[in-house]
Each structure stands twice: as C-alpha cells, then as structure tokens.
Amino acid sequence: MVAIASGKGGVGKSTTAINLALSLAQDHYRVGILDADIYGPNQPHMLGHIEKPVLREDHRFDPVIRYGLQTMSMGYLVTDETPMVWRGPMVIKALQQMLYHTAWDNLDYLIIDMPPGTGDIPLTLSQSVAMTAAIIVTTPQKLSFVDVVKGIQMFDTMRVPTVAVIENMSYFICGHCQEKHYLYGKGALQSLTGEFGFKTAYEIPIDQSVSPHGDAGIPIVIAEPESSISRLFQELTDGIVREISRIQYDSQDKPVLRYIKGEGFRLKTSDGVVAIEPFALREHCRCAICVDEWTGETRFKKQILSSDYAPLDIKTIGNYAIGINWNDGHSSLYPYDTLFKLAG
Ligand code: ADP
C-alpha cells in the first residue's frame, strides 16, 4: 500500500497517483487505486468513469476496472447533489469501508490517493492502514517546503517511510527555445533531498497537455505514452518500485511492533500480525531487574502494574532489537528472536 500525499490541494496529487498507478500497470503489475481524497473525489472524472460499482452478494463492492486498474472512489458512490458534510469519524469509517469492503483482486500495489494535509483524517488513515511507503507531491514554492516536512514527519510518526518527493509543476519548457524555466525558483527539492536523504526526488514540469487529457478522462500516460512527461512518470515509477523493493528486502525478517492505544500491541512478522497485551510483553522482559540472574526465573509480577500500563515509546535498537520505555519508568529490550518466539 503506497500513500500519495500532499500538504494541500491542487498540487497534482491525484494526477500523480493515477499516472503512477497506470505506469505500474503498464509494467504488468496488478494495481489498485483507492481515491481517499474524500472531499474532492475526482478520480472517476479523471479516469472517465462515473458508473456505480457493483455490490456483490457478500456485501462487498467489485472495484471498477479502468485502463487495467482496479479502482474505488467515494466519487462512484456519491453524486454532485450528495452533501459532503462529513465529519471526522464518518469520513474515516467511509474510507475504511472503501478499503476493506472492496473485493480487490490479488494486488501487487494499492495506491492510496490521500486526502490533502496532515490533519486528523490523513493522520487517522495512516494509523489505521498498514502502509508500506509514502510519496509526497508538492509544488516548488517555498511555503510548500514546510508542508512537505510536516508530511514526512506525519508518516515518520506512523513508521511509514517516505520514499519519494515529487515536485510537480516544477518548471516549464518553452516551446520556442526548449529551455527549462523555473518559474518559482530552484533549490527547494535539493534542500529536501539533502535534509532527509531521499534518493528518489523528481521534478515534473508544468505541461499543457496534462490538464485537457485529465479532464477528458484519459490520463497522459495513456493518451500520449511516448511524450516526455509520460516517460518522466515511467522513470519515477521505476525509482519508486526500486525503493519499495529495497524497503521490503531490508525489512525482511525484521519484526515490527506497534502500539494502538486502548487495544494493545500489534506484532508484525513475515508470517502475519499477532496481538499482544502490554502485560504479556512486559512479562518477557529479560533485564536484570525482571529476571533472577541465578535461577533465570522471572521476578516480574503482573500485580504491580496499573491497568493503564502502556509504552511511552518504541524504538528500533540497531539491527537486532526493539526497545520500549514503559509508563512506569521501566525500560525493556526485546531482541528480534524473542519477538519471533512471541509471534509463534
Ligand atoms: P490535487 O489532487 O493535488 O488536488 P490534481 O491532480 O487534481 O491536484 O491537479 C490539479 C490540476 O492541475 C488539474 O487540473 C490537473 O490536470 C493539473 N495538473 C496537475 N499536474 C500538472 C502538470 N504537471 N502540468 C499541468 N497541469 C497539471
């Protein structure tokens, strides 16, 4: 699951999400796209399709197939007349339903076109879905830089690595002199790559053929696959595929531990996800305070812990363990081997 996010609307997030998804499909991956931009679900329009998806007997929707993509959007389910006065919890519920009640068919990639910004909705969405990576789309103005940093930080909090930043409408190529003109100045993308160490940062030009094709429901990589902008989208797609494979390869055999307030831990390994209570995890702490050095028996007593026992923070320690600082002041270190055992 790859989130495409932006600090604000109108920067070309949906355009990028669609063209990226289509470039992946052109590379023969099985690709879905979820239009989670619930306030402005414009993907049906951009993909030239406004028919309603079919509700199946198992109460799930079949995704709408467009240009080989499996697509789902709130735009399929509401009309122009439907009031979009959604409130936070309703929006999240609608998004979760779209995600989990769509009969996605054996996907390699699910591209999630996120709602813009770093407010409650994108935050809760990134919390409730196990995303593999995020891509941030921005424009070259200085102010956008701040939005990008906020976006990266939001995904960082969720432990979702931002694998690429795309500066859209970065420059303009003059039809007469063929020179690149950086209308808003140059350099913001370089500072971002320097600060955050991205390998995948792209500049996409402002191009007069993008908008009319988008409006006609034929995205540019379909309408003009050989154009220079389509080739840029393909290049960007290759870079993103590389970065995501790297994450998956690097994280292979590494357990991931998350804490969900009120629910407990979720321990994810390559075999799946298991739920673990804070008490149960603390019981496995093998530090000198918790374990009798001579007998190896645990000295830890569950009774001493209050019912709101929880971690204050969870950290990866080197390449071998996960450390937890608990809210009673205790610190535990869990080597990956211990976590694999706990995961069964
Ligand atoms: P967002 O999802 O961030 O709100 P959209 O993808 O809907 O933004 O794009 C906003 C408008 O900008 C659309 O009309 C789109 O066709 C146009 N657009 C996006 N990227 C480009 C580009 N590189 N060149 C020209 N027009 C673009």
PDB file of all heavy atoms in Angstrom, residues 6 8-15 37 42 46 168-169 204-207 210-211 215 229, ligand 1:
ATOM      1  N   SER A   6      -0.123  15.033  -0.023  1.00  0.00           N
ATOM      2  CA  SER A   6       0.359  16.396  -0.300  1.00  0.00           C
ATOM      3  C   SER A   6      -0.063  17.285   0.849  1.00  0.00           C
ATOM      4  O   SER A   6      -0.991  16.955   1.590  1.00  0.00           O
ATOM      5  CB  SER A   6      -0.234  16.925  -1.607  1.00  0.00           C
ATOM      6  OG  SER A   6      -1.625  17.103  -1.450  1.00  0.00           O
ATOM      7  N   LYS A   8      -1.296  20.289   0.586  1.00  0.00           N
ATOM      8  CA  LYS A   8      -2.559  20.973   0.282  1.00  0.00           C
ATOM      9  C   LYS A   8      -3.111  20.488  -1.054  1.00  0.00           C
ATOM     10  O   LYS A   8      -2.439  19.745  -1.763  1.00  0.00           O
ATOM     11  CB  LYS A   8      -2.354  22.482   0.287  1.00  0.00           C
ATOM     12  CG  LYS A   8      -1.238  22.966  -0.593  1.00  0.00           C
ATOM     13  CD  LYS A   8      -1.164  24.476  -0.498  1.00  0.00           C
ATOM     14  CE  LYS A   8      -0.128  25.058  -1.416  1.00  0.00           C
ATOM     15  NZ  LYS A   8       1.233  24.939  -1.006  1.00  0.00           N
ATOM     16  N   GLY A   9      -4.334  20.937  -1.354  1.00  0.00           N
ATOM     17  CA  GLY A   9      -4.981  20.505  -2.590  1.00  0.00           C
ATOM     18  C   GLY A   9      -4.437  21.266  -3.803  1.00  0.00           C
ATOM     19  O   GLY A   9      -3.794  22.300  -3.658  1.00  0.00           O
ATOM     20  N   GLY A  10      -4.672  20.720  -4.976  1.00  0.00           N
ATOM     21  CA  GLY A  10      -4.358  21.426  -6.209  1.00  0.00           C
ATOM     22  C   GLY A  10      -2.911  21.345  -6.657  1.00  0.00           C
ATOM     23  O   GLY A  10      -2.516  22.020  -7.602  1.00  0.00           O
ATOM     24  N   VAL A  11      -2.098  20.495  -6.004  1.00  0.00           N
ATOM     25  CA  VAL A  11      -0.681  20.424  -6.392  1.00  0.00           C
ATOM     26  C   VAL A  11      -0.414  19.321  -7.422  1.00  0.00           C
ATOM     27  O   VAL A  11       0.698  19.187  -7.918  1.00  0.00           O
ATOM     28  CB  VAL A  11       0.243  20.204  -5.166  1.00  0.00           C
ATOM     29  CG1 VAL A  11       0.101  21.320  -4.160  1.00  0.00           C
ATOM     30  CG2 VAL A  11      -0.024  18.861  -4.499  1.00  0.00           C
ATOM     31  N   GLY A  12      -1.460  18.535  -7.723  1.00  0.00           N
ATOM     32  CA  GLY A  12      -1.303  17.469  -8.716  1.00  0.00           C
ATOM     33  C   GLY A  12      -1.150  16.094  -8.074  1.00  0.00           C
ATOM     34  O   GLY A  12      -0.630  15.169  -8.696  1.00  0.00           O
ATOM     35  N   LYS A  13      -1.643  15.950  -6.857  1.00  0.00           N
ATOM     36  CA  LYS A  13      -1.540  14.669  -6.143  1.00  0.00           C
ATOM     37  C   LYS A  13      -2.303  13.569  -6.897  1.00  0.00           C
ATOM     38  O   LYS A  13      -1.768  12.494  -7.143  1.00  0.00           O
ATOM     39  CB  LYS A  13      -2.071  14.850  -4.717  1.00  0.00           C
ATOM     40  CG  LYS A  13      -2.197  13.583  -3.915  1.00  0.00           C
ATOM     41  CD  LYS A  13      -2.654  13.876  -2.506  1.00  0.00           C
ATOM     42  CE  LYS A  13      -3.923  14.684  -2.446  1.00  0.00           C
ATOM     43  NZ  LYS A  13      -5.094  14.049  -3.059  1.00  0.00           N
ATOM     44  N   SER A  14      -3.577  13.859  -7.248  1.00  0.00           N
ATOM     45  CA  SER A  14      -4.372  12.827  -7.926  1.00  0.00           C
ATOM     46  C   SER A  14      -3.797  12.518  -9.302  1.00  0.00           C
ATOM     47  O   SER A  14      -3.767  11.355  -9.722  1.00  0.00           O
ATOM     48  CB  SER A  14      -5.826  13.286  -8.087  1.00  0.00           C
ATOM     49  OG  SER A  14      -6.382  13.500  -6.832  1.00  0.00           O
ATOM     50  N   THR A  15      -3.352  13.548 -10.001  1.00  0.00           N
ATOM     51  CA  THR A  15      -2.755  13.344 -11.329  1.00  0.00           C
ATOM     52  C   THR A  15      -1.557  12.411 -11.197  1.00  0.00           C
ATOM     53  O   THR A  15      -1.394  11.464 -11.973  1.00  0.00           O
ATOM     54  CB  THR A  15      -2.303  14.712 -11.912  1.00  0.00           C
ATOM     55  OG1 THR A  15      -3.424  15.575 -11.926  1.00  0.00           O
ATOM     56  CG2 THR A  15      -1.720  14.571 -13.296  1.00  0.00           C
ATOM     57  N   ASP A  37      -9.319  10.766  -1.249  1.00  0.00           N
ATOM     58  CA  ASP A  37      -9.493  12.218  -1.168  1.00  0.00           C
ATOM     59  C   ASP A  37     -10.998  12.481  -1.115  1.00  0.00           C
ATOM     60  O   ASP A  37     -11.636  12.864  -2.090  1.00  0.00           O
ATOM     61  CB  ASP A  37      -8.850  12.877  -2.398  1.00  0.00           C
ATOM     62  CG  ASP A  37      -8.743  14.377  -2.227  1.00  0.00           C
ATOM     63  OD1 ASP A  37      -9.396  14.911  -1.310  1.00  0.00           O
ATOM     64  OD2 ASP A  37      -8.030  15.010  -3.023  1.00  0.00           O
ATOM     65  N   ASN A  42     -12.040  13.095  -7.271  1.00  0.00           N
ATOM     66  CA  ASN A  42     -12.119  13.422  -8.700  1.00  0.00           C
ATOM     67  C   ASN A  42     -11.575  12.319  -9.606  1.00  0.00           C
ATOM     68  O   ASN A  42     -11.458  12.496 -10.804  1.00  0.00           O
ATOM     69  CB  ASN A  42     -11.411  14.753  -8.981  1.00  0.00           C
ATOM     70  CG  ASN A  42     -10.030  14.786  -8.384  1.00  0.00           C
ATOM     71  OD1 ASN A  42      -9.549  13.748  -7.924  1.00  0.00           O
ATOM     72  ND2 ASN A  42      -9.388  15.937  -8.383  1.00  0.00           N
ATOM     73  N   MET A  46     -11.330  11.809 -13.686  1.00  0.00           N
ATOM     74  CA  MET A  46     -10.019  11.743 -14.358  1.00  0.00           C
ATOM     75  C   MET A  46      -9.821  10.432 -15.108  1.00  0.00           C
ATOM     76  O   MET A  46      -8.991  10.343 -16.006  1.00  0.00           O
ATOM     77  CB  MET A  46      -8.895  11.899 -13.338  1.00  0.00           C
ATOM     78  CG  MET A  46      -8.766  13.300 -12.801  1.00  0.00           C
ATOM     79  SD  MET A  46      -7.561  13.294 -11.467  1.00  0.00           S
ATOM     80  CE  MET A  46      -6.696  14.800 -11.781  1.00  0.00           C
ATOM     81  N   ASN A 168       5.945  18.823  -8.401  1.00  0.00           N
ATOM     82  CA  ASN A 168       5.131  18.921  -9.620  1.00  0.00           C
ATOM     83  C   ASN A 168       5.068  20.378 -10.071  1.00  0.00           C
ATOM     84  O   ASN A 168       5.206  21.289  -9.262  1.00  0.00           O
ATOM     85  CB  ASN A 168       3.725  18.376  -9.328  1.00  0.00           C
ATOM     86  CG  ASN A 168       2.908  18.198 -10.589  1.00  0.00           C
ATOM     87  OD1 ASN A 168       3.456  17.984 -11.680  1.00  0.00           O
ATOM     88  ND2 ASN A 168       1.592  18.278 -10.465  1.00  0.00           N
ATOM     89  N   MET A 169       4.865  20.576 -11.358  1.00  0.00           N
ATOM     90  CA  MET A 169       4.802  21.914 -11.966  1.00  0.00           C
ATOM     91  C   MET A 169       6.078  22.685 -11.617  1.00  0.00           C
ATOM     92  O   MET A 169       6.068  23.885 -11.364  1.00  0.00           O
ATOM     93  CB  MET A 169       3.559  22.665 -11.488  1.00  0.00           C
ATOM     94  CG  MET A 169       2.290  21.814 -11.605  1.00  0.00           C
ATOM     95  SD  MET A 169       0.801  22.764 -11.526  1.00  0.00           S
ATOM     96  CE  MET A 169      -0.289  21.645 -10.667  1.00  0.00           C
ATOM     97  N   ILE A 204       8.628  17.339 -12.002  1.00  0.00           N
ATOM     98  CA  ILE A 204       7.730  17.124 -13.159  1.00  0.00           C
ATOM     99  C   ILE A 204       7.377  18.522 -13.681  1.00  0.00           C
ATOM    100  O   ILE A 204       6.985  19.396 -12.887  1.00  0.00           O
ATOM    101  CB  ILE A 204       6.440  16.399 -12.725  1.00  0.00           C
ATOM    102  CG1 ILE A 204       6.760  15.056 -12.055  1.00  0.00           C
ATOM    103  CG2 ILE A 204       5.450  16.253 -13.873  1.00  0.00           C
ATOM    104  CD1 ILE A 204       6.826  13.870 -12.942  1.00  0.00           C
ATOM    105  N   PRO A 205       7.509  18.749 -14.974  1.00  0.00           N
ATOM    106  CA  PRO A 205       7.217  20.098 -15.488  1.00  0.00           C
ATOM    107  C   PRO A 205       5.718  20.402 -15.545  1.00  0.00           C
ATOM    108  O   PRO A 205       4.898  19.478 -15.510  1.00  0.00           O
ATOM    109  CB  PRO A 205       7.785  20.051 -16.904  1.00  0.00           C
ATOM    110  CG  PRO A 205       7.722  18.618 -17.290  1.00  0.00           C
ATOM    111  CD  PRO A 205       7.915  17.823 -16.025  1.00  0.00           C
ATOM    112  N   ILE A 206       5.407  21.658 -15.622  1.00  0.00           N
ATOM    113  CA  ILE A 206       4.025  22.034 -15.928  1.00  0.00           C
ATOM    114  C   ILE A 206       3.884  21.831 -17.445  1.00  0.00           C
ATOM    115  O   ILE A 206       4.755  22.245 -18.212  1.00  0.00           O
ATOM    116  CB  ILE A 206       3.698  23.467 -15.467  1.00  0.00           C
ATOM    117  CG1 ILE A 206       2.226  23.758 -15.642  1.00  0.00           C
ATOM    118  CG2 ILE A 206       4.535  24.528 -16.152  1.00  0.00           C
ATOM    119  CD1 ILE A 206       1.728  24.887 -14.752  1.00  0.00           C
ATOM    120  N   ASP A 207       2.855  21.112 -17.839  1.00  0.00           N
ATOM    121  CA  ASP A 207       2.759  20.705 -19.235  1.00  0.00           C
ATOM    122  C   ASP A 207       1.313  20.893 -19.690  1.00  0.00           C
ATOM    123  O   ASP A 207       0.382  20.374 -19.053  1.00  0.00           O
ATOM    124  CB  ASP A 207       3.167  19.228 -19.334  1.00  0.00           C
ATOM    125  CG  ASP A 207       3.266  18.735 -20.761  1.00  0.00           C
ATOM    126  OD1 ASP A 207       2.277  18.904 -21.516  1.00  0.00           O
ATOM    127  OD2 ASP A 207       4.315  18.170 -21.104  1.00  0.00           O
ATOM    128  N   VAL A 210      -1.363  17.956 -19.913  1.00  0.00           N
ATOM    129  CA  VAL A 210      -1.820  17.156 -18.765  1.00  0.00           C
ATOM    130  C   VAL A 210      -3.289  17.409 -18.439  1.00  0.00           C
ATOM    131  O   VAL A 210      -4.102  16.499 -18.317  1.00  0.00           O
ATOM    132  CB  VAL A 210      -0.937  17.441 -17.521  1.00  0.00           C
ATOM    133  CG1 VAL A 210      -1.519  16.795 -16.264  1.00  0.00           C
ATOM    134  CG2 VAL A 210       0.478  16.921 -17.755  1.00  0.00           C
ATOM    135  N   SER A 211      -3.624  18.683 -18.305  1.00  0.00           N
ATOM    136  CA  SER A 211      -4.962  19.045 -17.853  1.00  0.00           C
ATOM    137  C   SER A 211      -6.072  18.621 -18.824  1.00  0.00           C
ATOM    138  O   SER A 211      -7.034  17.979 -18.400  1.00  0.00           O
ATOM    139  CB  SER A 211      -5.007  20.546 -17.594  1.00  0.00           C
ATOM    140  OG  SER A 211      -5.718  20.780 -16.432  1.00  0.00           O
ATOM    141  N   ASP A 215      -9.010  16.079 -17.899  1.00  0.00           N
ATOM    142  CA  ASP A 215     -10.417  16.488 -17.958  1.00  0.00           C
ATOM    143  C   ASP A 215     -11.224  15.567 -18.869  1.00  0.00           C
ATOM    144  O   ASP A 215     -12.412  15.344 -18.652  1.00  0.00           O
ATOM    145  CB  ASP A 215     -10.543  17.934 -18.470  1.00  0.00           C
ATOM    146  CG  ASP A 215     -10.121  18.924 -17.394  1.00  0.00           C
ATOM    147  OD1 ASP A 215      -9.989  18.507 -16.227  1.00  0.00           O
ATOM    148  OD2 ASP A 215      -9.900  20.111 -17.734  1.00  0.00           O
ATOM    149  N   ILE A 229       6.704  13.815 -20.797  1.00  0.00           N
ATOM    150  CA  ILE A 229       6.163  13.791 -19.431  1.00  0.00           C
ATOM    151  C   ILE A 229       5.750  12.360 -19.037  1.00  0.00           C
ATOM    152  O   ILE A 229       5.968  11.937 -17.908  1.00  0.00           O
ATOM    153  CB  ILE A 229       5.038  14.838 -19.243  1.00  0.00           C
ATOM    154  CG1 ILE A 229       4.662  14.921 -17.762  1.00  0.00           C
ATOM    155  CG2 ILE A 229       3.819  14.580 -20.082  1.00  0.00           C
ATOM    156  CD1 ILE A 229       4.018  16.211 -17.353  1.00  0.00           C
TER     157      ILE A 229
HETATM  158  P1  ADP B   1      -4.705  17.527  -6.302  1.00  0.00           P
HETATM  159  O1  ADP B   1      -5.045  16.063  -6.334  1.00  0.00           O
HETATM  160  O2  ADP B   1      -3.417  17.813  -5.593  1.00  0.00           O
HETATM  161  O3  ADP B   1      -5.828  18.382  -5.793  1.00  0.00           O
HETATM  162  P2  ADP B   1      -4.928  17.419  -9.205  1.00  0.00           P
HETATM  163  O4  ADP B   1      -4.159  16.205  -9.561  1.00  0.00           O
HETATM  164  O5  ADP B   1      -6.413  17.340  -9.198  1.00  0.00           O
HETATM  165  O6  ADP B   1      -4.428  18.020  -7.806  1.00  0.00           O
HETATM  166  O7  ADP B   1      -4.424  18.584 -10.180  1.00  0.00           O
HETATM  167  C1  ADP B   1      -4.951  19.895 -10.131  1.00  0.00           C
HETATM  168  C2  ADP B   1      -4.994  20.451 -11.548  1.00  0.00           C
HETATM  169  O8  ADP B   1      -3.665  20.634 -12.022  1.00  0.00           O
HETATM  170  C3  ADP B   1      -5.686  19.527 -12.539  1.00  0.00           C
HETATM  171  O9  ADP B   1      -6.416  20.293 -13.450  1.00  0.00           O
HETATM  172  C4  ADP B   1      -4.527  18.838 -13.262  1.00  0.00           C
HETATM  173  O10 ADP B   1      -4.873  18.455 -14.580  1.00  0.00           O
HETATM  174  C5  ADP B   1      -3.488  19.936 -13.267  1.00  0.00           C
HETATM  175  N1  ADP B   1      -2.103  19.420 -13.280  1.00  0.00           N
HETATM  176  C6  ADP B   1      -1.559  18.539 -12.416  1.00  0.00           C
HETATM  177  N2  ADP B   1      -0.266  18.329 -12.721  1.00  0.00           N
HETATM  178  C7  ADP B   1       0.011  19.072 -13.814  1.00  0.00           C
HETATM  179  C8  ADP B   1       1.194  19.287 -14.625  1.00  0.00           C
HETATM  180  N3  ADP B   1       2.351  18.679 -14.349  1.00  0.00           N
HETATM  181  N4  ADP B   1       1.087  20.142 -15.674  1.00  0.00           N
HETATM  182  C9  ADP B   1      -0.072  20.766 -15.940  1.00  0.00           C
HETATM  183  N5  ADP B   1      -1.210  20.623 -15.237  1.00  0.00           N
HETATM  184  C10 ADP B   1      -1.171  19.792 -14.169  1.00  0.00           C
END
